Amino acid sequence: MLNLGSVLAILYSCLVRLFFLSFISLDYDNLFHQLNSVQGNMELKCAFVKDIIHEAGRFKKKVLIQMLEQFQTSLMQMEGRKRNSITMETR
């Protein structure tokens, strides 16, 4: 019998594959538009991007992988700026 954690892991995996496969063309604007609309904490967003990078690797999409890595870096930089801003406001 499957527990809730394994069911969620399977659903998450399927979601990542569907998300990537629906944007398999060379026009990645829609993919990044969708990625910008993903909600959740930074860990969740980074894990999601990491899984899409993995899927892009399966299809040998090197340019997409580079773009996704840059996107992930910018996400982390924005989060760092938000934390710095919050820290400055509380002083």
Side-chain angles (χ1 to χ4, degrees):
M1 182 170 205
L2 295 174
N3 63 22
L4 181 61
S6 61
V7 170
L8 289 176
I10 291 167
L11 287 173
Y12 180 79
S13 176
C14 291
L15 178 64
V16 167
R17 285 196 174 105
L18 287 173
F19 197 84
F20 177 74
L21 291 175
S22 63
F23 301 105
I24 210 149
S25 71
L26 294 177
D27 179 18
Y28 301 125
D29 290 340
N30 201 11
L31 171 64
F32 287 99
H33 175 72
Q34 294 295 324
L35 281 173
N36 281 319
S37 68
V38 171
Q39 298 197 3
N41 61 24
M42 187 53 54
E43 290 177 19
L44 178 67
K45 289 178 183 180
C46 286
F48 195 67
V49 172
K50 184 178 177 183
D51 288 342
I52 295 172
I53 289 171
H54 175 74
E55 288 299 309
R58 289 182 51 219
F59 291 92
K60 309 220 183 319
K61 300 284 188 176
K62 293 178 184 178
V63 172
L64 178 58
I65 292 169
Q66 290 173 343
M67 293 169 74
L68 287 164
E69 288 171 343
Q70 290 173 350
F71 179 81
Q72 189 173 27
T73 300
S74 69
L75 275 177
M76 291 186 285
Q77 288 173 346
M78 285 189 331
E79 181 68 17
R81 283 188 215 126
K82 283 182 186 176
R83 287 185 182 174
N84 287 341
S85 169
I86 291 170
T87 303
M88 297 298 278
E89 289 175 2
T90 58
R91 288 183 182 178

